[in-house]
Amino acid sequence: MSDFVDRKYRAVTAFQRRMNPVLRRLPLQTVLETTGRVSGLPRQTPVGGRRVGNSFWLVSEYGERSQYVRNIQANPRVQVRILGRWHTGTAHLLPDDDPRARLKQLPRMNGMAVRALGAQLLTVRVDLDG
């Protein structure tokens, strides 16, 4: 990973560590809950994405370097809070999907932020139960 990308990653994650506790408390903020791969505790991450039928789509800014992606690799069972309601499901990492094209199908503001801040984009699909 280039030095620029590494510095960008550190800056973005430092900012997110401060903002995420605030954002996940907002009632209409979409939140992805994974199980911590080391602690086994629930980990909530504010995300942007879109529900399409029985799937929820999002794009990770830093791919497999993102903590929630690492948690998904260890345990793909997740919950997603969409419009204030929790849904259980199974997350799938889609390295063969074109994340830039996928961002065009997701909310515009989120897509702009992910493109601006991200470096190793990775598409994630959550198949929602029932």
Side-chain angles (χ1 to χ4, degrees), residues 32-117:
L32 175 69
E33 184 176 277
T34 59
T35 301
R37 64 193 176 282
V38 175
S39 69
L41 298 173
R43 300 296 182 197
Q44 294 183 347
T45 305
V47 295
R50 174 166 284 145
R51 183 175 183 167
V52 179
N54 284 331
S55 295
F56 181 79
W57 293 84
L58 67 128
V59 174
S60 169
E61 296 161 326
Y62 285 95
E64 293 184 11
R65 196 168 180 185
S66 296
Q67 297 301 315
Y68 70 87
V69 170
R70 291 178 180 185
N71 289 342
I72 288 169
Q73 288 173 322
N75 180 357
R77 292 297 297 166
V78 300
Q79 291 192 83
V80 183
R81 187 179 73 193
I82 306 167
L83 298 174
R85 186 166 169 242
W86 286 100
H87 305 269
T88 59
T90 304
H92 304 275
L93 306 178
L94 304 173
D96 294 331
D97 191 67
D98 181 350
R100 293 199 180 276
R102 182 69 56 193
L103 284 171
K104 293 177 183 175
Q105 301 170 9
L106 302 180
R108 175 175 274 141
M109 293 301 290
N110 174 254
M112 289 182 349
V114 169
R115 278 190 291 280
L117 301 174

Side-chain angles (χ1 to χ4, degrees), residues 9-37:
Y9 171 78
R10 286 195 313 267
V12 168
T13 55
F15 175 76
Q16 288 174 336
R17 268 190 224 106
R18 289 174 179 80
M19 290 304 299
N20 284 356
V22 174
L23 291 175
R24 69 176 163 244
R25 286 187 175 91
L26 299 175
L28 296 181
Q29 170 67 50
T30 302
V31 175
L32 175 69
E33 184 176 277
T34 59
T35 301
R37 64 193 176 282

